[in-house]
Amino acid sequence: FREHKSIPFIEEYKIEFESPTKVKIVVFEKSVVGYVSSMSSYMYFDKDGIIVESSGEQLPGVPWITGLEFGKIMLYEPLPVENQSTFQEILNLTQVLSVNEVQVDKIYYQSFAAGGAQIDLYIGDVVVELGNSENLGRKVAELSDILPELTGLAGTLYLDTYDESVTSPTYTFKKK
């Protein structure tokens, strides 16, 4: 009957009164999109950039985000990155990866002072150089199609040369 309280791990909850003696509570957890490492802890954040968990253990299926410069991290507060557009690009990337069902171990994001960025994905023994954040959705869709061919290989796939105007693109893969 009152306004719902904000709970750190919970996206939303509903309370349904089924009878005078029976209550049904439906809880929707916040989805964790990535984590950063800080002082020997893993700090997990949600789609809004809020740190929702600090743990000494790595959660399976959650990518490690490296290359970011950030200040003091506080639980239940936004990840303090210098440039909020950087964080938005990372969130967009993690969502595109999820939609295309591409599971990554690590995302290296290097932001440049003059603007732009260099993004690398680590998938097992394969490094995927995406280049800048332009056409991320299309680059990840290409990666999704190529990935089965790379099973069991180690090396670097260069998707930084992606050009949407090329109808039959070719990409370089250098084995280790």
Side-chain angles (χ1 to χ4, degrees):
F1 298 112
R2 296 182 184 170
E3 187 175 320
H4 289 202
K5 290 183 179 181
S6 178
I7 303 173
F9 286 100
I10 307 301
E11 182 75 36
E12 177 184 356
Y13 62 94
K14 297 178 184 178
I15 301 171
E16 299 173 7
F17 294 94
E18 295 184 345
S19 74
T21 60
K22 189 174 181 183
V23 175
K24 179 178 178 182
I25 301 173
V26 180
V27 178
F28 299 94
E29 284 186 281
K30 284 188 176 182
S31 61
V32 175
V33 297
Y35 72 91
V36 294
S37 182
S38 176
M39 298 186 306
S40 70
S41 289
Y42 303 113
M43 307 298 278
Y44 293 91
F45 56 89
D46 67 5
K47 65 178 176 55
D48 299 319
I50 307 295
I51 302 295
V52 294
E53 181 177 353
S54 173
S55 175
E57 296 180 20
Q58 291 177 295
L59 297 175
V62 179
W64 178 24
I65 313 296
T66 63
L68 291 179
E69 305 248 342
F70 47 82
K72 184 178 178 184
I73 297 176
M74 305 256 315
L75 205 52
Y76 314 127
E77 296 289 327
L79 185 64
V81 293
E82 284 183 20
N83 187 348
Q84 286 301 325
S85 66
T86 296
F87 189 68
Q88 191 58 46
E89 288 178 2
I90 291 170
L91 292 177
N92 290 341
L93 175 60
T94 58
Q95 289 172 350
V96 167
L97 290 168
S98 178
V99 166
N100 287 280
E101 298 179 355
V102 175
Q103 198 70 28
V104 300
D105 302 317
K106 180 169 93 170
I107 298 170
Y108 174 73
Y109 188 95
Q110 181 181 9
S111 183
F112 300 112
Q118 168 68 33
I119 303 169
D120 298 334
L121 307 178
Y122 292 78
I123 306 167
D125 292 327
V126 175
V127 177
V128 181
E129 289 195 9
L130 293 178
N132 60 28
S133 59
E134 290 180 30
N135 297 312
L136 273 180
R138 293 184 179 122
K139 289 177 184 178
V140 172
E142 289 282 335
L143 173 61
S144 179
D145 293 340
I146 297 169
L147 212 48
E149 304 298 322
L150 301 178
T151 303
L153 297 177
T156 304
L157 174 64
Y158 296 91
L159 286 178
D160 56 345
T161 59
Y162 176 82
D163 183 355
E164 64 183 317
S165 65
V166 177
T167 56
S168 297
T170 57
Y171 302 104
T172 303
F173 179 76
K174 290 187 180 178
K175 290 185 180 180
K176 282 186 181 175

